[in-house]
Each structure stands twice: as structure tokens, then as C-alpha cells.
Amino acid sequence: MTADRDQPWHKTACIICALNCGVEVQTDGRRITKIRGDDAHPVSKGYVCEKSQRLDYYQNGADRLTSPMRRRADGSYEAIDWDTAIREIAQKFKALKERHGGESILYYGGANQGSHLGGTYADSTQKALGIKYRSNALAQEKTGEFWVGGKMLGTGAHGDFEHCEVAVFVGKNPWHSHGFARTRVILRDIQKDPDRSLIVIDPRRSETAEMADIHLQVKPGTDAWCLAALAAILVQEDLVAHPWLAEHTTGFAEISAVLRSIPVSRYAQFCGVDEALLRQAARRIAQARSVSMMEDLGLQMNVHSTLGSYLQRLVWLLTGHYGRPGTNNAFVPFLSLAKASKGEGFAASQRPAQRVERRSPVVGAKIIIGLIPCNVIPEEILTDHPQRYRAMLIECGNPVHSLADSQRMRAALRALELSVVIDVAMTETAREADYVLPACSQFEKPDATFFNLEFPRNGFHLRQPLFEPRPGTLPEAEIHARLVEALGELSEHDYAPLRRAAKLGRLAYSLAFAWRSKRNRKIARYAAIVLYRTLGPSLPPGMAPAASLWGIAQIYVRSQPTAAARAGFGGNAVRAGNRLFDAILNSPSGLIFAVSDHADSWQAVRLPDHRINLWLPELLPELQKLESGPQPGDPAFPFVLSAGERRGETSNTAIRDSGWHRKGAFGPLRISPQDAQALGCTDGDSLRLSTGRGSAIVVVEITDTMQPGHISLPNGQGLDYRLADGTVVHSGVAPNELTDVTRRDFLAGTPWHKHVPARLAPVDRSSA
């Protein structure tokens, strides 16, 4: 074998978290053997963390599928050919649509952390089936934040942590969960600079909190009291940016009147943080030249989730930290995930604005950015309601493992008349489905993420395939094309004129596509599939699934002409879109597609006169509830379990093989020394962890980073991984076997995974 130094390096990206840092890899056959950061990547710039070293465990998982699978009556599965699978699935979906309407079919998923391209094709299948209801992991975590952001700014905003004087993190440990480019480099820079400060609000002394100048170590579940106290201090000590607020906001008089009445001393006691430290943090934020602030799952999957998202925004908006260097700014997305979730991916300009509030058909749950809350899915199925969901199409998602109350989710899937899963492996969800369709891995097809959040220079990276597709698998583009064709929506008659135009070059194709889409409604309706079938064959070998990006590029340069032009894609829109698409295809390390300035952040505020709205009366009753303090716990469950902590030894569940873990216990339960002493346990001992929904045997890790009464389990574990010989390996604890679907936010429905009442007890060896 040739020495490693002589092996070529191939450019791709890490897929473990939303950042998708650029990496270079060496391969041997179908294996990824070495991984390093890609210095040429315009966003990550060579940065990489240790989790990227696990990519081969994803690519070569033993439980990857190589044939469509059909469930037998006895619950076992049989391999079937693709033609049979597509024909039967299309027939059964079509029959359901005819009997009960497309609204009886729920679409779930559509993307892993680094695999969003397939979702652009799923849009066509959803339209062909008349699907009206969707959900995915964003509705498990982010919809409360999205609702607040929409009401206050009408746009998304992201912190400029590289240049801020003060960085504030709420319920977030970026050392492991990242969230912005070159995370650990920037955290170290802030830590080393005496003129900069790091403030962390977290019940645990996390790796980021260890670095902080101010750690507001709240009691579990009391973030809202801490944030309300900070906002109140700003108003009561008159630390707010009055001229800025007068020029740029509305609603200050209303919210300031509420904040003036908050008893800061009591709220400090409620959240367990010294009042003097709260005042120190508030003053540091108010006096800073620039502040960037970020929340994450520690807040969003906790009690008072949506209210917390509102209060944390008030802290940086009352002090004027928006639309300037080092503050939160409005990034320019390549494809808005919020619009895509609403079904507006390709034809947003053709859709009327949705003015009527939409709710789920059975529970009446609020639909935010087009997504029903994940936690209501079982309730929408396990009922005799005539409008219940009767079928699900699940793609790149594992709701049985990743959503609250796995037992109830399994029961819901079994109650459906039809369930179809598209995935690379036989996941926990796939094992409950009627049909499972095997997709290529993320390294066997072109793929990308639309989590493009950087400002002022935003980047996009189309990853080119490292390997040929594993035999028996198909890219999602092909799967959806076959489904739409089997449903009778598209045929060669629709494709032929555009196939001919594609042979004449990109400009000819652009003109032909525009002309045909006006005369054949199917061209615009199923644009992604049409592009795949007609433009795709003209692309380099293996790159046909990237064809949908041509349509996205055309839409982007028209919707964001200034940002596109600054990045080099200006001028005639058709030609600019073509240049951008070609640049994407020919930039293996990615490229900058948008360049913004801080004035653009104000233009992005889609509210009257581009003024930020500080007053959300819908949340006033929830804010007033804080006055009575935290609710007393159940004595039967004296601990608060945080289910799903990010750690160095965790990955997302796309990596099902835990073989990468070599040292120490896998996924231990973290507890404080005081609790360990009370329980009479030591490191490595086993305890029974119980909640109102289930129990599990856990291995204990004692750490003084935890407060007494607070315990935590890592995310992404407890998977049933099937080896090549059929042996099933179960490593760690699946957190959602312990969580309760009914414990959720009043408005967004996001689950309280970080605040699960629990108890611990010695293991009864006689029944273990």
C-alpha cells in the first residue's frame, strides 16, 4: 500500500454538528482513514474538533441498508426490489389521499445536521401527495425562539462572537455544542483578552462556564427568573440605551413598566444567584461597546422556553446591541429554513402570505414556521378523530429515539395505516415502519447544509461525493423522483423540452425553464425533480442531485441582489444565478455567497419602519407567573434530570456505531459529590434512574460541576446497533425512554428535556 503521505486528500465536511466545518480526508477503498481541517474553507478556515474523527463510523456502519425493506405481518422484514417498493408505496399513499385527503399524511424530518439537499426534493413528494402538515427537529428545539424572533425582529439574528467585547451564553456550552464558526479558537481569544468578558448562564459548571468571567449558576429550570432579573436591573438602574431605543424600537414604555415592578432580590433568590453578581453582569452588558448573546437547548428545552427566548433578547436589545460590529446581526441565508419548512422553498414568490394562524387538526397546537410541535404527534395519531394523521413519511429522522416519550411514539407509528422511512440505516424508527427505503450516505452523493448563519460574510459548501453509492441505495433525489413519477405527476413528456435545452448550455436552459414553467404548472410545482431529471444529467458524474441548487441560486440572487453582488454574483439575474451555481459546483472547499454590512441588518427587520418590537403581550401572563416563584417539585422525584447533555464523548445519532469510544464508561449519569455521598455510591457504580415514564440502569460519574439535586445524561446514546453478524449492541441510555410528551412549552410545545423529575436508587440485583 502507498504510504499515507502519498495518498491524495479529498475535500468534504464534518457532519456531526450544524457547523459542517470543512475537512480534508484520506480514503482507503470505502473507508475514511485520516481527517484534518481544510485551511481553504472560507468559514471554518482549517478549524476542526475531535468529533470529526468519527466520520468513518458513520460511513461504514454495520447496520446500513442495501435494499428496500417491507414489513411482514409478523413484524419481521423482507428485502424487496426498488420497483416493487416504489409502486406499492405510491399506490398506498395515493389510496389514502383519495379516501382522507393529503392532510391525513404527516411528513417528518428531511435533514440531518449536514444533509439538507435531499429535503429540496422531498418538497415535490409532499406536493404530489397534498401533504399539509410537517414537523422535524426544529420543532423539538427552536420554534419558540423562531416565534419570538419573528414577533420582535421579523428576521433571524446571529452573534458576532469573533469581535464582541462581551459574549453571553444562555443554556449553552459552545465548547462542545459549538454554534458559531471556529468556536474554541474564539472562546480562547475572549478568555485571554483582559478587555473582553465571557458570561455564562448555566446550572452546570460546563467547560465554557469554567472559562467565564461571570458564571450565573442558576438552579435547574430557573433561567427565566435570572433573565427577567437582568432585564429588570437594566431598567431599574437606568442602564438602557434610551436614544437608540427611541430611534429603533417600539414597545419600550410597555415592557419597561413591567420590568420596573420586578423584585430583583426575590428573583435572585428564586434562581439561586447572588444579587450582586446579577447586577455585575447586567452592568457589564450595559457598559460594553458590543455584546453578542446566544441561547441554546438548555433554555429552549426547559420550563419557560418561549418566555426565556423573549427575555434573553430583551437583555441585549434594551442595551442597544444589534446591527453593529460585535453584536447580533441579521445574516443572509442561502435558503431560508423557515420558509422551506412552510413549503416555500422553490416558489416562495408565488405563494400568498399566510395571514390565518394555522393549528394542528386534532390537538389545535400552534404551527410555527410551518411545523407542528413534535410533542403532539402521538396525540394527533392515537385518537378516533376523523382528521387524525393516518400515515407518515419520515426522512432523515429518527423520532422514536429523538422525540419525547419513545414508548408513545412507537405506539403511534404502529397505529398508522402506512409508514415509510427513508434513511441510511435500520434505525429505531425504521424498525416500526411498513417500508424502509435505503438512501446513500452523505459521502456518497453531493450534499450540503443550509445552516448558513455567518455575518457579514456567509458561506455555502456543496460537498462532492467521496465514494460511489453503496449497491442497493439511492440518493433522495432519485427516490423522490421515482415516487412523484409513480404517482403520475411527471413523465418524459414534461422533461423532454428541457433535456434538449440543457444540451445547449446553461443560458439556454435558464430561458427554456422560465418559458416552460409559465406554460406547464408542473414544472414550477415540482421544480426540484424537473431540475434533477433534466439539468442533472448535464452535471459532472455523480453530481446530478446538486441540480436543485440551480433553482435556489436563481431565487437567491433575485431576493438578495445586494448581498449577492458584493460576493461577486451581481448583474443580470439569470446570468448571476448561473455564475453562482457554477461557482458552487466548482468550489470543493465552499465559497462566500453573501457579503452584508451592518445597515443591512436594519433593512432585514421586517416590521413597520424597520423598528424592533419589544412588547409581546402574548407572553405577559407567563411573565407574571414568575412572581410566585418556581413550582415545588414532586417528593417522589427529588432530582432534576437534564436529558441530552452535549459532551466530548457524544455524537449525533447519525453515528450509530459506538466503537469510536475507547476510554471510560459510555454515557454515564453525572451527579454531584453531595448526592453521591447521600446515595452511598462511587464512580462507576450502577444506579436505577426512574422518571414518571420509565427507568434505566445508569453508570455513575461523580463531578463537582453538578449542583446537588441536578443530574444529567448525554445526548445521542442508547441506540440499538446491529453488527454484521446480527448481534445487537446497546450502548448507553436512550434519554427519551424517560421523558414525558406532556411536559412541554405552553406556546411552542417544545419539550422540557432539561427539567425531568427523577429519582435514583440502588440497583435491585434480584430483579436487574
Side-chain angles (χ1 to χ4, degrees):
M1 183 183 297
T2 308
D4 285 348
R5 65 176 178 273
D6 297 326
Q7 292 291 322
W9 289 89
H10 307 281
K11 294 178 181 293
T12 184
C14 177
I15 60 169
I16 304 300
C17 83
L19 289 186
N20 283 205
C21 297
V23 298
E24 294 181 319
V25 301
Q26 286 184 335
T27 61
D28 183 4
R30 298 188 65 85
R31 305 208 72 92
I32 298 172
T33 56
K34 287 198 172 183
I35 301 168
R36 68 185 185 189
D38 180 5
D39 292 337
H41 195 277
V43 175
S44 58
K45 300 177 182 177
Y47 175 88
V48 71
C49 78
E50 74 279 1
K51 295 189 181 186
S52 66
Q53 304 304 310
R54 302 164 195 170
L55 296 180
D56 190 63
Y57 290 91
Y58 160 77
Q59 170 60 27
N60 289 293
D63 59 352
R64 284 196 55 194
L65 293 164
T66 56
S67 172
M69 306 297 288
R70 179 174 60 196
R71 188 182 183 88
R72 297 188 182 102
D74 65 1
S76 63
Y77 285 87
E78 60 182 336
I80 57 176
D81 62 82
W82 274 102
D83 289 344
T84 300
I86 294 294
R87 182 180 67 253
E88 291 184 2
I89 291 169
Q91 289 173 348
K92 292 180 180 182
F93 270 132
K94 192 171 184 178
L96 274 166
K97 178 185 176 184
E98 290 171 352
R99 290 198 306 271
H100 304 291
E103 60 269 26
S104 68
I105 306 169
L106 174 66
Y107 177 81
Y108 181 87
N112 281 323
Q113 292 281 31
S115 185
H116 291 175
L117 207 52
T120 64
Y121 295 99
D123 176 72
S124 293
T125 300
Q126 292 173 60
K127 289 174 180 173
L129 292 173
I131 292 175
K132 297 181 180 179
Y133 296 104
R134 307 170 178 84
S135 193
N136 61 37
L138 290 175
Q140 174 87 331
E141 304 165 350
K142 302 291 183 182
T143 42
E145 181 186 20
F146 286 163
W147 183 85
V148 169
K151 290 284 187 178
M152 297 185 78
L153 291 99
T155 187
H158 196 59
D160 179 9
F161 294 100
E162 185 172 3
H163 302 105
C164 66
E165 181 180 328
V166 175
V168 186
F169 298 106
V170 186
K172 181 171 184 62
N173 179 17
W175 187 263
H176 283 313
S177 65
H178 284 48
F180 51 95
R182 302 172 57 251
T183 308
R184 293 180 181 178
V185 173
I186 290 173
L187 287 176
R188 290 192 190 99
D189 287 345
I190 297 173
Q191 182 187 33
K192 294 175 183 176
D193 191 334
D195 296 326
R196 304 175 74 185
S197 297
L198 179 60
I199 300 173
V200 172
I201 302 174
D202 197 315
R204 190 175 76 84
R205 197 175 73 249
S206 67
E207 289 81 358
T208 308
E210 290 272 14
M211 305 172 71
D213 299 277
I214 300 175
H215 178 200
L216 304 178
Q217 191 170 14
V218 295
K219 297 176 183 177
T222 63
D223 304 75
W225 283 272
C226 177
L227 291 165
L230 289 174
I233 292 166
L234 294 173
V235 169
Q236 293 171 17
E237 293 192 8
D238 199 23
L239 300 173
V240 300
H242 286 289
W244 187 92
L245 291 169
E247 181 180 0
H248 293 298
T249 71
T250 61
F252 173 67
E254 292 84 349
I255 190 59
S256 63
V258 174
L259 294 174
R260 284 192 194 97
S261 68
I262 286 178
V264 173
S265 296
R266 285 185 64 220
Y267 278 36
Q269 293 174 356
F270 289 151
C271 69
V273 178
D274 183 75
E275 181 183 349
L277 192 61
L278 282 172
R279 293 188 182 277
Q280 179 186 345
R283 292 164 186 163
R284 183 69 181 96
I285 290 168
Q287 294 163 3
R289 180 183 67 257
S290 58
V291 174
S292 283
M293 194 164 178
M294 190 177 193
E295 65 179 73
D296 209 347
L297 306 189
L299 174 69
Q300 294 162 350
M301 302 180 96
N302 216 324
V303 292
H304 303 298
S305 167
T306 301
L307 176 63
S309 293
Y310 175 43
L311 292 170
Q312 78 90 358
R313 278 168 175 74
L314 285 177
V315 170
W316 49 269
L317 288 171
L318 289 171
T319 47
H321 294 299
Y322 176 79
R324 294 183 288 103
T327 69
N328 289 57
N329 284 273
F331 56 90
V332 175
F334 186 40
L335 174 67
S336 168
L337 290 177
K339 290 183 178 179
S341 295
K342 296 177 183 177
E344 300 179 6
F346 274 95
S349 62
Q350 301 173 15
R351 292 176 175 268
Q354 295 184 2
R355 296 184 177 88
V356 179
E357 181 181 71
R358 296 181 62 219
R359 292 187 174 267
S360 67
V362 176
V363 179
K366 183 186 288 289
I367 293 175
I368 301 173
I369 64 163
L371 303 175
I372 72 162
C374 297
N375 277 353
V376 307
I377 292 175
E379 295 170 69
E380 299 281 342
I381 296 170
L382 297 170
T383 174
D384 59 1
H385 194 288
Q387 291 180 289
R388 67 186 180 273
Y389 301 137
R390 299 168 188 267
M392 282 184 71
L393 175 57
I394 302 168
E395 179 176 7
C396 287
N398 189 4
V400 164
H401 186 273
S402 63
L403 303 188
D405 204 335
S406 294
Q407 303 97 307
R408 195 154 169 78
M409 192 66 228
R410 278 192 291 268
L413 278 175
R414 290 169 184 160
L416 293 168
E417 296 176 39
L418 177 64
S419 53
V420 178
V421 166
I422 302 172
D423 214 317
V424 300
M426 201 68 172
T427 66
E428 288 70 20
T429 302
R431 292 186 206 119
E432 307 297 332
D434 297 310
Y435 293 88
V436 187
L437 302 180
C440 303
S441 82
Q442 296 184 44
F443 299 119
E444 296 168 352
K445 64 196 173 198
D447 217 333
T449 178
F450 294 117
F451 289 139
N452 317 115
L453 309 178
E454 297 303 313
F455 179 96
R457 295 167 56 82
N458 208 353
F460 181 79
H461 183 194
L462 174 65
R463 309 192 305 274
Q464 301 179 6
L466 294 175
F467 310 104
E468 291 291 325
R470 185 173 289 201
T473 68
L474 294 175
E476 290 88 349
E478 182 66 26
I479 294 172
H480 287 292
R482 293 189 187 190
L483 284 171
V484 171
E485 291 159 359
L487 290 165
E489 294 296 305
L490 288 172
S491 68
E492 185 59 31
H493 173 76
D494 302 297
Y495 301 143
L498 291 172
R499 287 191 199 276
R500 292 193 293 269
K503 295 178 180 178
L504 301 177
R506 199 79 78 230
L507 181 59
Y509 183 85
S510 304
L511 298 173
F513 188 90
W515 189 85
R516 292 292 301 174
S517 63
K518 291 180 179 179
R519 286 155 180 79
N520 181 350
R521 67 176 186 84
K522 292 182 179 180
I523 301 300
R525 183 173 177 78
Y526 306 119
I529 301 298
V530 173
L531 290 169
Y532 172 66
R533 286 294 194 220
T534 61
L535 180 62
S538 71
L539 302 183
M543 295 295 288
S548 62
L549 293 175
W550 178 86
I552 295 170
Q554 294 291 339
I555 292 171
Y556 165 72
V557 298
R558 287 167 172 78
S559 62
Q560 299 287 348
T562 303
R566 291 192 191 118
F569 305 104
N572 175 271
V574 172
R575 295 181 185 275
N578 285 337
R579 288 200 311 276
L580 175 56
F581 178 61
D582 288 336
I584 289 171
L585 291 175
N586 295 304
S587 301
S589 292
L591 80 168
I592 296 298
F593 69 88
V595 177
S596 305
D597 62 31
H598 296 91
D600 297 331
S601 289
W602 290 105
Q603 290 301 310
V605 176
R606 293 191 295 273
L607 296 174
D609 300 321
H610 302 291
R611 285 176 170 262
I612 295 168
N613 173 34
L614 301 178
W615 177 236
L616 300 188
E618 300 96 326
L619 294 179
L620 181 59
E622 199 73 2
L623 182 58
Q624 291 172 334
K625 288 180 184 178
L626 298 183
E627 296 173 7
S628 58
Q631 294 296 308
D634 183 346
F637 298 99
F639 291 93
V640 173
L641 168 67
S642 288
E645 179 192 335
R646 269 57 177 173
R647 300 178 185 174
E649 68 274 16
T650 61
S651 297
N652 69 38
T653 54
I655 299 182
R656 301 180 57 78
D657 179 2
S658 61
W660 54 266
H661 187 269
R662 306 292 172 84
K663 296 181 180 179
F666 186 79
L669 179 84
R670 287 178 168 167
I671 68 173
S672 71
Q674 298 93 319
D675 289 331
Q677 183 177 16
L679 290 163
C681 65
T682 60
D683 262 330
D685 283 355
S686 294
L687 294 174
R688 180 169 292 279
L689 168 64
S690 300
T691 70
R693 290 299 293 144
S695 68
I697 304 299
V698 296
V699 176
V700 168
E701 177 188 315
I702 302 170
T703 170
D704 62 3
T705 64
M706 303 298 298
Q707 297 185 47
H710 187 208
I711 57 180
S712 75
L713 279 173
N715 72 299
Q717 303 191 358
L719 298 165
D720 289 327
Y721 177 65
R722 188 177 297 275
L723 301 176
D725 64 3
T727 303
V728 175
V729 177
H730 186 91
S731 301
V733 176
N736 284 311
E737 299 290 345
L738 305 170
T739 56
D740 187 342
V741 73
T742 65
R743 290 177 55 80
R744 61 196 187 215
D745 185 71
F746 84 102
L747 186 143
T750 43
W752 298 346
H753 284 354
K754 308 300 182 184
H755 200 273
V756 181
R759 66 172 173 261
L760 292 169
V763 175
D764 182 355
R765 296 297 178 185
S766 64
S767 61

